[in-house]
Amino acid sequence: MFLKNIWYVAGWTTEFDAGDLAGRMIAGEPVVFFRKQDGTLNALPDRCPHRWAPLSKGRLEGDDLRCMYHGVKFDADGNCVEVPAQEKVSPQLCLQPYPVAEKHQWAWIWMGDPAMADPSTIPDCSYMDAPARRFKTGQLDYKAHHALVSDNLLDLSHVAFLHEKTLAAPPEGEPEDKKTGQSVGGAAGTRIETGVRYENWRVGDFGRAVVQAKSGGTGDVWSRLDYVVPGIFISRVATYPAGTAEKCDFGTPPADVEPLSDNISCQAVTPMTERTTRYFFSSGPRKADVTDEEADGMWKVASAAFDEDLDMIEAQQKIIDNHPANRMAWIDADKGPAMFRQLMAELMRKEGTPVEAFPPNRSASDTVARPDVVEAAE
Amino acid sequence: MFLKNIWYVAGWTTEFDAGDLAGRMIAGEPVVFFRKQDGTLNALPDRCPHRWAPLSKGRLEGDDLRCMYHGVKFDADGNCVEVPAQEKVSPQLCLQPYPVAEKHQWAWIWMGDPAMADPSTIPDCSYMDAPARRFKTGQLDYKAHHALVSDNLLDLSHVAFLHEKTLAAPPEGEPEDKKTGQSVGGAAGTRIETGVRYENWRVGDFGRAVVQAKSGGTGDVWSRLDYVVPGIFISRVATYPAGTAEKCDFGTPPADVEPLSDNISCQAVTPMTERTTRYFFSSGPRKADVTDEEADGMWKVASAAFDEDLDMIEAQQKIIDNHPANRMAWIDADKGPAMFRQLMAELMRKEGTPVEAFPPNRSASDTVARPDVVEAAE
Amino acid sequence: MFLKNIWYVAGWTTEFDAGDLAGRMIAGEPVVFFRKQDGTLNALPDRCPHRWAPLSKGRLEGDDLRCMYHGVKFDADGNCVEVPAQEKVSPQLCLQPYPVAEKHQWAWIWMGDPAMADPSTIPDCSYMDAPARRFKTGQLDYKAHHALVSDNLLDLSHVAFLHEKTLAAPPEGEPEDKKTGQSVGGAAGTRIETGVRYENWRVGDFGRAVVQAKSGGTGDVWSRLDYVVPGIFISRVATYPAGTAEKCDFGTPPADVEPLSDNISCQAVTPMTERTTRYFFSSGPRKADVTDEEADGMWKVASAAFDEDLDMIEAQQKIIDNHPANRMAWIDADKGPAMFRQLMAELMRKEGTPVEAFPPNRSASDTVARPDVVEAAE
Ligand code: FES
Ligand code: FES
Ligand code: FES
């Protein structure tokens, strides 16, 4: 069971070409996407109401979509406009269209009540629209429940361990066994309206960020990471001249100071089924900060790290599925993931979706969420 | 659950060689076929009563079959005739043989009460025995419930859509978007005793039949298609001199008029399990009508069309299995398939097989059958 | 459900290298094995108590094991010794270590109550430690319940049939259809404390043992095969000078008579899951009896036979899983397997493990065990 009244990322806008019928699985529902002749993206259930053939195997006829099993035809709003060799058309033969929107490089879809779909509630991923970036995108399919993928992104304390050989690789000559910066770890999360925020300044010897200042580490690094429902990761990491953090009292960096380097990443976690999840990711360092070759190198490292996540999380899912339910044990770093799970549960409860189905474990008691700890933290 | 008291096609008679043990899955039961020394085909459960090893991994010893796990031996009637190093043989150690028959190129098996097995009730597929035909046969395994494959064959209105690029491919220069002949579509079905019949004359510009008259389309095309339980398709398409249809008052063509061309096809749909189905098909144009090369060409087109069916129906099955049960919507073309489903349901009810298990959907209410419409049509 | 308070073979001692983390599935539980710095083998659940990541993807740090998802660290006894960036460590964050022992070339693990783990109850497989043998080992993974593999080893009457072309292959020129020696067949089993014993002398024309006397068959062949819980096969086959059997009154061969040939085999059947089983096997003819080439040849034949077992048993498992439960039929050769199943059931009952889960069939009534016959035999 999935949260329905929410915008999900269905794909990159560039995935949906004119003339194509693109079948996707979103939150347990098969959906077919196509562009109308005016270029607008349209989405209908990918399941003909007649005998449940996939409409993505159908034929686009102008703005209409014909099922190519027995030829029943629908308009872009899902109304049946033709049944071959039949005069009257039954009102049962219709499809409920899904609200869609294209915004910030992504195609978004609303899986719940169309009347509630308001594109202004789409999370602000405008970082991806910024010019003068060396923008790269990718995606991966997980054989795991989306909550496990979200947990991962909500607690970056895992970087020092899972990604010790990629993102956290120490420079030559440095000792391996060093302390982890917990700055963006799950313990540092604070609730914002639609998710969890991680915000901090690392000053001085700030460890190794994915993007290091060209100046060689002599600056203050500011990072903000928002993770918002249903699974949108929006982050910026910027290096400022040394002293900036103190000058702005360790708050949001002042708008009039130019960062020495600046990198952004938006990512999205979209459930396909209860055990498959599509993960979209991007990176955008400023053109001024890195060469194309450097951006390629960073991207290779990030991609290798995403493969490490995939490998670990799919293994974790297998153990969860093979093991009788019981409670997972709590550590401080679970605070961020738990706040997010709690928020998701609230939203699901509000729309009547059973909450016990949310954690990828076998029973409701099987969750990491510790309301006492979470509440105390708020 | 499958209809039991009925003849199923187990395979082509040529599949069963002397000396071979052929394991097959028929209507949910593993069956082992072998020929006795006199050539008679014999069928026993492919499951040793001792420890359930497959007898198809056994050894034929004359007309006896020895299980090659622990060596228990059975005669062709399923009686245990030897337990190694044991004097008495328990009566539990026996197998109930299946009635089999070889008729019209096919090996048939009766899965129900042997006392009711009457070979004279095997559908008349004698078309396949006719001499002077360029006879071709093939088979395909579906990952789908047999009812979906039967639905497909009971409503050929799908040909114009699903097979638009193969069977329905328009000749060069003709417009693509033309009306479909509904003549053999599901809406035209009428009940016959053991199935549904589609019969019609197409006069004048009769569209594109799989076999077109050598005379170039100047004739009247008569076709009759019977689809009988549990899934036997028997069809003939013949072209007669223009005017023949009117002369015989659009009834059965007169026996004394030689058709200009004449093609037959027998096909069979045999459930293996609830989600696997074996599909046997054949084609037999008259030798006089087509050359070997032409027959090969027609066969290639038909085979490509069967692959299109397979692709669509397996996709349909996946959607059915992944989607919560609810009613499919009705179109007129469903009349034929619905009449057949209703007949199957009646036969299953009569022998005590649960009918709700028949449609490949998740609940009894999930079926296309509309008794009101069907009854009105009868 | 598996018997817990018993020693299972986890692998060959040589499988576990210093510095390695070896993940194994034993009796339904994921286990990680590693050697401490002093070389001692250690076993912990392969499931981090935090978020259930596999510890076999972790990092060995001295004798400690760090989970490489979020970095929680455990000592070899399973105590949590570090949570990154957290001061207090919750007592929930601990792992219950498994008792392990290395004995007779095998690593053994105790899956039940550690307080009951007594290495002196490990079955005596010291045959494998004997010097001057051409010792060979192998292993195979079955897609079948372990009980089916045990059944197979508890009734060697199957050798004459399943292995007619390998182990039982008749020499050139001999008739194929000869009587089977039932000497080690299931009918000959007698209960010993922890299992079933098969013991016999074959005198004169003793058929074909895997190892035949170099003297060409002029001796008496003595064999003893013990099959003990949870699935340990310990066998010795030795040829003595003709007359030895009579001299010792068909009892245990006298210690002061040197056998002409002597071969031993220890094998172990370890459940991984309810439908996967690991099978370990070995062979050790005396160096004096066979050359390396002869030992290789014998091993090839035995390996081919083990593949025949695998093929048959996996086929049997499929039929069992696809077929509605009902009783299997009894033959005399089932006596040995039934005695062993009965013993396993007793042990499971004693520790509170549901017995109906033991047979690989769908219900408790679906077992071959015939208490009347078994009891009468005791
Ligand atoms: S399934 Fe779409 S028209 Fe029949
Ligand atoms: S299973 Fe057939 S003889 Fe044992
Ligand atoms: S799962 Fe092992 S430390 Fe988190």
Side-chain angles (χ1 to χ4, degrees):
Chain A
M1 302 292 279
F2 305 98
L3 189 59
K4 292 214 159 276
N5 290 315
I6 200 78
W7 291 102
Y8 285 103
V9 171
W12 302 99
T13 57
T14 51
E15 283 178 53
F16 306 100
D17 285 334
D20 276 4
L21 292 170
R24 295 288 184 272
M25 185 66 78
I26 314 269
E29 298 292 335
V31 179
V32 57
F33 291 87
F34 60 93
R35 293 201 179 277
K36 292 199 281 191
Q37 287 172 303
D38 66 3
T40 318
L41 191 63
N42 210 62
L44 294 173
D46 191 13
R47 181 172 71 97
C48 178
H50 173 227
R51 298 290 292 152
W52 298 13
L55 290 168
S56 53
K57 290 185 183 291
R59 182 168 66 194
L60 207 49
E61 299 183 357
D63 284 359
D64 296 338
L65 176 53
R66 187 187 293 278
C67 177
M68 287 302 276
Y69 195 174
H70 312 96
V72 173
K73 189 159 115 174
F74 306 90
D75 68 15
D77 295 327
N79 304 305
C80 180
V81 293
E82 186 190 328
V83 178
Q86 185 176 319
E87 273 180 40
K88 270 192 296 184
V89 162
S90 151
Q92 282 189 287
L93 268 167
C94 67
L95 294 159
Q96 173 78 53
Y98 294 104
V100 288
E102 295 187 276
K103 213 170 165 181
H104 312 314
Q105 321 302 331
W106 274 328
W108 302 80
I109 185 167
W110 182 269
M111 300 305 291
D113 178 2
M116 297 170 68
D118 173 4
S120 78
T121 64
I122 288 176
D124 179 6
C125 301
S126 55
Y127 282 161
M128 294 204 289
D129 304 328
R133 299 259 170 190
R134 302 200 194 276
F135 192 59
K136 288 177 188 293
T137 67
Q139 68 190 64
L140 271 179
D141 285 349
Y142 273 83
K143 284 197 196 79
H145 191 276
H146 64 98
L148 294 185
V149 187
S150 288
D151 286 348
N152 178 276
L153 294 168
L154 280 150
D155 173 21
L156 295 189
S157 79
H158 79 269
V159 169
F161 301 100
L162 185 53
H163 307 310
E164 61 159 346
K165 298 208 173 79
T166 49
L167 303 183
E172 295 294 326
E174 240 180 280
E176 274 232 13
D177 201 5
K178 53 198 298 294
K179 275 265 165 177
T180 321
Q182 285 299 311
S183 43
V184 288
T190 55
R191 254 304 289 277
I192 54 175
E193 200 194 334
T194 59
V196 180
R197 168 165 293 180
Y198 304 83
E199 202 173 40
N200 80 310
W201 279 100
R202 281 171 290 165
V203 172
D205 173 18
F206 52 72
R208 54 213 74 265
V210 179
V211 180
Q212 248 175 328
K214 285 211 136 180
S215 50
T218 62
D220 296 348
V221 179
W222 180 76
S223 65
R224 171 185 285 171
L225 187 173
D226 287 350
Y227 197 84
V228 299
V229 288
I232 314 296
F233 175 104
I234 304 159
S235 88
R236 186 176 164 226
V237 178
T239 312
Y240 285 87
T244 308
E246 198 156 311
K247 250 184 264 169
C248 68
D249 209 17
F250 291 85
T252 305
D256 59 345
V257 181
E258 184 67 8
L260 301 172
S261 76
D262 184 2
N263 194 9
I264 56 96
S265 179
C266 291
Q267 307 180 12
V269 170
T270 300
M272 297 191 289
T273 67
E274 295 282 345
R275 284 296 178 274
T276 57
T277 298
R278 185 156 286 178
Y279 173 44
F280 303 94
F281 46 90
S282 69
S283 156
R286 284 190 320 201
K287 280 192 179 150
D289 296 339
V290 290
T291 63
D292 263 350
E293 290 69 40
E294 285 167 332
D296 283 355
M298 284 158 51
W299 187 248
K300 247 179 226 160
V301 168
S303 299
F306 294 148
D307 286 342
E308 289 168 336
D309 286 318
L310 183 103
D311 180 61
M312 182 62 87
I313 291 171
E314 292 189 347
Q316 185 193 16
Q317 180 71 69
K318 268 189 207 158
I319 295 181
I320 289 169
D321 284 340
N322 287 332
H323 209 278
N326 69 48
R327 224 177 160 78
M328 290 170 169
W330 174 268
I331 66 173
D332 288 355
D334 293 327
K335 186 186 154 201
M339 282 192 303
F340 187 75
R341 281 174 173 249
Q342 197 179 38
L343 171 57
M344 288 289 282
E346 270 162 33
L347 294 175
M348 291 171 80
R349 232 178 268 120
K350 214 159 75 183
E351 69 180 37
T353 303
V355 173
E356 56 281 352
F358 172 60
N361 306 330
R362 294 217 184 126
S363 78
S365 69
D366 202 14
T367 168
V368 75
R370 286 257 193 109
D372 52 324
V373 179
V374 176
E375 270 150 34
E378 276 173 336
Chain B
M1 302 291 279
F2 304 98
L3 188 59
K4 292 214 158 275
N5 291 315
I6 200 77
W7 290 102
Y8 285 102
V9 171
W12 302 100
T13 57
T14 51
E15 283 178 52
F16 306 100
D17 284 333
D20 276 5
L21 292 170
R24 295 287 183 273
M25 185 65 80
I26 315 269
E29 298 291 334
V31 179
V32 56
F33 291 88
F34 61 93
R35 293 201 180 276
K36 291 200 282 190
Q37 286 172 303
D38 66 3
T40 319
L41 192 63
N42 209 63
L44 293 172
D46 192 13
R47 180 172 70 96
C48 179
H50 172 225
R51 298 289 293 151
W52 297 14
L55 290 168
S56 52
K57 290 185 184 291
R59 181 168 66 195
L60 207 49
E61 301 183 356
D63 284 358
D64 297 338
L65 176 52
R66 187 188 292 278
C67 177
M68 286 303 275
Y69 196 173
H70 312 95
V72 173
K73 188 159 116 174
F74 306 91
D75 69 15
D77 295 328
N79 305 305
C80 179
V81 292
E82 186 190 327
V83 178
Q86 185 177 321
E87 273 180 40
K88 271 192 296 182
V89 162
S90 150
Q92 282 189 286
L93 269 168
C94 66
L95 294 159
Q96 174 78 53
Y98 294 105
V100 289
E102 294 187 276
K103 212 169 165 183
H104 312 314
Q105 320 302 331
W106 274 329
W108 303 79
I109 184 168
W110 181 269
M111 300 305 290
D113 178 1
M116 298 170 68
D118 173 3
S120 77
T121 64
I122 288 175
D124 179 6
C125 301
S126 55
Y127 282 161
M128 294 203 289
D129 304 328
R133 299 260 170 190
R134 302 198 194 277
F135 191 59
K136 288 178 188 294
T137 67
Q139 68 189 64
L140 271 179
D141 285 349
Y142 274 83
K143 286 197 195 79
H145 191 275
H146 66 98
L148 295 184
V149 186
S150 288
D151 286 348
N152 177 276
L153 294 168
L154 280 150
D155 173 20
L156 295 189
S157 78
H158 80 268
V159 169
F161 301 100
L162 184 54
H163 308 309
E164 63 159 345
K165 298 208 173 79
T166 49
L167 303 183
E172 294 294 325
E174 240 180 280
E176 274 233 13
D177 201 6
K178 53 200 298 292
K179 277 264 164 176
T180 322
Q182 285 297 313
S183 43
V184 288
T190 55
R191 254 304 289 276
I192 54 174
E193 201 195 332
T194 59
V196 181
R197 169 165 292 179
Y198 304 84
E199 202 173 41
N200 81 310
W201 279 99
R202 281 170 291 165
V203 172
D205 173 19
F206 52 70
R208 55 211 76 266
V210 179
V211 179
Q212 247 174 329
K214 286 211 134 179
S215 50
T218 61
D220 297 348
V221 179
W222 180 76
S223 65
R224 170 185 286 170
L225 188 173
D226 287 350
Y227 196 85
V228 299
V229 288
I232 315 297
F233 174 105
I234 304 159
S235 88
R236 187 176 162 224
V237 178
T239 313
Y240 285 86
T244 308
E246 197 156 309
K247 248 184 266 169
C248 68
D249 210 17
F250 290 85
T252 305
D256 60 344
V257 181
E258 183 68 7
L260 301 172
S261 76
D262 184 3
N263 194 8
I264 56 94
S265 178
C266 291
Q267 307 180 12
V269 171
T270 300
M272 296 192 287
T273 67
E274 294 283 345
R275 284 297 178 273
T276 57
T277 298
R278 185 155 288 178
Y279 173 43
F280 303 93
F281 46 89
S282 69
S283 156
R286 284 190 319 201
K287 280 193 177 150
D289 297 339
V290 291
T291 64
D292 263 350
E293 289 69 41
E294 286 167 333
D296 283 354
M298 284 158 51
W299 187 248
K300 248 179 227 161
V301 168
S303 299
F306 294 148
D307 287 341
E308 290 168 336
D309 287 319
L310 183 103
D311 179 62
M312 181 63 87
I313 291 171
E314 292 190 348
Q316 184 194 15
Q317 180 70 70
K318 269 189 207 159
I319 294 181
I320 289 170
D321 284 341
N322 287 331
H323 209 280
N326 70 47
R327 225 177 159 78
M328 290 171 169
W330 175 268
I331 66 174
D332 288 355
D334 294 326
K335 186 185 152 201
M339 282 193 303
F340 187 75
R341 280 173 174 251
Q342 197 179 37
L343 171 57
M344 287 288 283
E346 271 163 32
L347 293 176
M348 291 172 81
R349 231 178 268 121
K350 214 160 75 182
E351 69 179 37
T353 303
V355 173
E356 56 281 353
F358 173 60
N361 306 330
R362 294 220 183 124
S363 78
S365 69
D366 201 15
T367 168
V368 74
R370 287 258 193 108
D372 51 323
V373 179
V374 176
E375 269 150 34
E378 276 173 334
Chain C
M1 303 291 280
F2 304 98
L3 189 58
K4 292 216 159 274
N5 290 315
I6 200 79
W7 291 101
Y8 285 102
V9 170
W12 302 100
T13 57
T14 51
E15 282 178 53
F16 307 100
D17 284 334
D20 276 5
L21 292 170
R24 295 287 183 274
M25 185 66 80
I26 315 269
E29 298 291 334
V31 179
V32 57
F33 291 87
F34 60 92
R35 292 199 180 276
K36 292 200 281 191
Q37 287 172 302
D38 66 4
T40 319
L41 191 63
N42 210 61
L44 294 173
D46 192 13
R47 180 172 70 96
C48 179
H50 173 226
R51 298 289 293 152
W52 298 13
L55 291 167
S56 53
K57 290 186 183 291
R59 181 168 66 194
L60 207 49
E61 300 183 357
D63 285 358
D64 296 338
L65 176 53
R66 187 187 292 279
C67 177
M68 287 303 276
Y69 196 173
H70 311 95
V72 174
K73 189 159 113 174
F74 306 90
D75 68 16
D77 295 328
N79 304 305
C80 179
V81 292
E82 185 190 327
V83 178
Q86 185 177 319
E87 272 179 42
K88 271 192 295 182
V89 162
S90 150
Q92 282 190 288
L93 267 168
C94 66
L95 294 158
Q96 174 77 54
Y98 293 105
V100 289
E102 295 187 275
K103 211 168 165 183
H104 312 314
Q105 321 301 332
W106 274 329
W108 302 79
I109 185 168
W110 182 269
M111 301 304 292
D113 179 1
M116 298 169 68
D118 173 4
S120 77
T121 65
I122 288 176
D124 178 7
C125 300
S126 55
Y127 282 160
M128 293 203 289
D129 304 327
R133 299 259 170 190
R134 301 198 195 278
F135 192 59
K136 287 176 189 296
T137 67
Q139 68 190 65
L140 270 180
D141 285 349
Y142 273 83
K143 285 197 195 78
H145 191 275
H146 65 97
L148 294 184
V149 187
S150 288
D151 286 348
N152 177 277
L153 294 168
L154 280 150
D155 173 20
L156 296 189
S157 79
H158 79 267
V159 169
F161 301 101
L162 185 53
H163 307 310
E164 62 159 346
K165 297 206 174 81
T166 49
L167 303 183
E172 296 293 325
E174 239 179 282
E176 274 233 13
D177 201 4
K178 53 200 298 292
K179 276 265 164 173
T180 321
Q182 284 298 313
S183 43
V184 288
T190 55
R191 254 303 290 277
I192 54 174
E193 200 194 335
T194 59
V196 181
R197 169 165 291 179
Y198 304 84
E199 202 173 42
N200 80 309
W201 279 99
R202 282 169 290 165
V203 171
D205 173 19
F206 52 71
R208 57 211 74 263
V210 179
V211 180
Q212 248 174 329
K214 286 210 135 180
S215 49
T218 60
D220 296 348
V221 179
W222 180 74
S223 65
R224 171 186 286 170
L225 189 173
D226 286 350
Y227 197 84
V228 300
V229 288
I232 314 297
F233 174 105
I234 304 160
S235 88
R236 185 175 164 227
V237 178
T239 313
Y240 285 85
T244 309
E246 197 156 311
K247 248 183 266 169
C248 68
D249 210 17
F250 291 84
T252 306
D256 60 342
V257 181
E258 184 66 8
L260 301 173
S261 76
D262 184 3
N263 194 8
I264 56 94
S265 180
C266 291
Q267 307 180 11
V269 170
T270 300
M272 296 191 288
T273 68
E274 295 283 344
R275 285 295 178 274
T276 57
T277 298
R278 185 156 287 179
Y279 173 44
F280 303 94
F281 46 88
S282 69
S283 156
R286 284 190 319 201
K287 279 193 179 150
D289 296 340
V290 291
T291 64
D292 263 349
E293 290 68 42
E294 285 168 332
D296 283 353
M298 284 158 51
W299 188 247
K300 249 179 226 161
V301 168
S303 299
F306 294 147
D307 287 340
E308 290 169 335
D309 286 319
L310 183 103
D311 179 62
M312 181 63 87
I313 291 172
E314 292 190 348
Q316 184 193 15
Q317 181 70 69
K318 269 190 205 157
I319 295 180
I320 288 170
D321 285 339
N322 288 330
H323 210 279
N326 69 47
R327 224 177 159 78
M328 290 171 168
W330 174 268
I331 66 173
D332 288 355
D334 294 327
K335 186 187 153 200
M339 283 192 304
F340 187 75
R341 281 174 173 250
Q342 197 181 37
L343 170 58
M344 287 289 283
E346 270 163 31
L347 294 175
M348 292 171 80
R349 233 178 268 121
K350 214 162 73 183
E351 70 180 37
T353 303
V355 174
E356 56 281 353
F358 173 60
N361 306 330
R362 294 216 185 126
S363 77
S365 69
D366 201 15
T367 167
V368 74
R370 287 256 194 109
D372 51 323
V373 179
V374 176
E375 270 150 34
E378 276 173 335

